Amino acid sequence: MSRYAIRLLLGALLLALALTTVVRAQPDKPTEYQIKAAFLYNFAKFTDWGSSNPAIAASQEGGFVLCVAGKDPFGSALAAIEGKLVQGQRLRIRLGVSPETISGCHMLFVSESEERRAPVFLKAVQQHPVLTVSDIEGFTDAGGMIGLVVADSRIQFDINLAPANRVNLKVSSQLLSLARSVSGGKGRN
């Protein structure tokens, strides 16, 4: 191997080492589902179930229950919000709920794995004060309350107030002002 080839190889190794160092020096960016978990927590904080709402007062699981229907896309991201206070209750996570086991949920996230059964979940909670959220495309058009979307390289959300108003859930004006779109009626002032 010639001296020129050795210098070239050493230069390439130093460059690779420098790039690796630069990449490692950058702070970790949150994942899509870490961001979505933070959105869920804030949706719960900025929605009013009413202080006398029996669903909150009579929670069988002793807390504010966030249920996830279908495969859990969050991984460990929900652990960051579990146990935080929401509506004066500790946030609890319940995974893998079905339409038959949905009782006791205050908020329901319908994962993409349940896209075909989303109407069944929505029908199961349509008479109950359960805030429904999903990242299934067209979720709010299908009767869901909050749809997470990726637009302009960031996570945004759409709100359909009609199903929330039917079960007396009040979405705050702050949350409405941050939504990409709001449909289905008037929100809270």
Side-chain angles (χ1 to χ4, degrees), residues 165-184:
N165 289 340
R166 271 196 301 271
V167 293
N168 295 319
L169 292 180
K170 307 295 182 210
V171 179
S172 79
S173 58
Q174 293 110 326
L175 190 58
L176 293 173
S177 70
L178 296 173
R180 184 179 76 158
S181 71
V182 177
S183 62

Side-chain angles (χ1 to χ4, degrees), residues 6 17 25 30 54 57 73 76 92 99-101 105 113 121 141-143 158 166 170 180 189:
I6 291 173
L17 181 61
S76 62
R92 299 193 183 281
E100 296 79 26
T101 62
C105 298
S113 69
F121 280 99
D141 294 334
D158 300 324
R166 271 196 301 271
K170 307 295 182 210
R180 184 179 76 158
N189 292 322

Side-chain angles (χ1 to χ4, degrees), residues 66-126:
L66 164 61
C67 297
V68 177
K71 291 182 182 173
D72 174 18
F74 293 96
S76 62
L78 291 177
I81 62 170
E82 187 167 25
K84 290 188 172 188
L85 283 178
V86 174
Q87 307 291 321
Q89 305 274 328
R90 294 273 174 216
L91 178 70
R92 299 193 183 281
I93 310 293
R94 203 164 86 196
L95 301 175
V97 298
S98 68
E100 296 79 26
T101 62
I102 216 161
S103 178
C105 298
H106 301 104
M107 182 162 45
L108 173 67
F109 180 84
V110 183
S111 72
E112 286 184 319
S113 69
E114 295 298 314
E115 184 171 2
R116 287 185 322 125
R117 293 194 327 152
V120 177
F121 280 99
L122 292 174
K123 186 174 181 179
V125 298
Q126 70 182 356

